[in-house]
Amino acid sequence: MTLNAALWCLHYGSLWLFTPVAMNFINLARSYVCSFDNKFARSKAVPVVFIVLSLALTVFTWQGAWDILILVSSVFATVGGWQKNPQILRVSNVLVCLCWLPYNFVNNSWAGIVNNLLTLVSLIVALIRYRAKQKQLNWERHVLLFMPDENWQCHSEQFRSAALMRLDASIKWLSLIHISEPTRLRRI
């Protein structure tokens, strides 16, 4: 992360864009503080300090109205970094990329545009995969664990093998399963 922030500082410095340089220095400091796992690093005052610092440096390095996007992205990154839910962090990073993308476009930062587009694609894929995984887990939690016996027959051999595979996978979830009323299978 340190090398990444330093390279972005060099890139934006070469374009004479000082607000992104300042925000990348803040990103460097924020990453350093987040690397500690102590009470101070997790306190609610730390993100406020970084947001105020971002505001002060944006005012100090002001070059135009587009710099507001960089300030907003820094606020999103700071708030997202202090969340415990990884999905909130991913969504906040999508918002960060959406703030940087027009700024990079207006200021002809082609490396920034490519970086933001690749990051957006990666984040969107991660969000979609997480959602699909959650749907699958929710479906498995509500499936009636059915083992065929002489009174009930499965509709197909695939269902029988799938039920056995799901039984193995669902044993982990037994403490989470809550079936209010079992669903009956049709008798063949």
Side-chain angles (χ1 to χ4, degrees):
M1 193 67 174
T2 305
L3 180 61
N4 181 31
L7 290 174
W8 282 116
C9 286
L10 285 174
H11 170 72
Y12 287 113
S14 70
L15 294 173
W16 296 95
L17 301 170
F18 300 112
T19 303
V21 172
M23 293 306 122
N24 277 294
F25 276 121
I26 290 174
N27 184 21
L28 182 66
R30 191 174 52 230
S31 297
Y32 180 72
V33 170
C34 283
S35 68
F36 295 110
D37 193 23
N38 59 22
K39 190 175 180 180
F40 168 73
R42 288 289 160 200
S43 72
K44 294 182 180 180
V46 175
V48 173
V49 169
F50 280 114
I51 291 171
V52 170
L53 186 61
S54 296
L55 179 64
L57 285 176
T58 299
V59 169
F60 182 71
T61 60
W62 185 263
Q63 290 178 308
W66 290 101
D67 289 350
I68 292 172
L69 287 173
I70 304 307
L71 172 64
V72 171
S73 74
S74 180
V75 170
F76 284 141
T78 302
V79 171
W82 264 263
Q83 301 299 316
K84 293 181 181 181
N85 185 344
Q87 285 304 100
I88 295 174
L89 176 62
R90 288 183 184 114
V91 170
S92 70
N93 282 333
V94 167
L95 296 173
V96 168
C97 286
L98 291 176
C99 289
W100 277 93
L101 196 58
Y103 183 86
N104 287 326
F105 186 74
V106 166
N107 290 296
N108 296 321
S109 172
W110 302 111
I113 291 170
V114 170
N115 176 56
N116 291 139
L117 290 175
L118 291 175
T119 304
L120 273 172
V121 168
S122 173
L123 288 167
I124 290 170
V125 166
L127 287 168
I128 290 170
R129 289 183 68 194
Y130 181 82
R131 185 175 173 100
K133 184 177 179 181
Q134 288 302 311
K135 283 183 179 180
Q136 178 70 23
L137 289 176
N138 287 337
W139 182 82
E140 286 179 1
R141 287 179 190 158
H142 294 96
V143 166
L144 176 63
L145 297 177
F146 173 69
M147 294 299 296
D149 59 11
E150 63 275 358
N151 296 328
W152 296 92
Q153 293 180 355
C154 291
H155 293 289
S156 67
E157 186 62 36
Q158 290 90 7
F159 179 81
R160 190 175 291 132
S161 64
L164 291 173
M165 287 177 18
R166 290 220 189 322
L167 176 63
D168 291 344
S170 298
I171 288 175
K172 298 176 201 171
W173 294 100
L174 282 177
S175 63
L176 301 174
I177 294 176
H178 174 71
I179 301 175
S180 58
E181 190 173 310
T183 308
R184 298 218 163 218
L185 296 175
R186 288 186 304 164
R187 191 172 248 191
I188 298 178

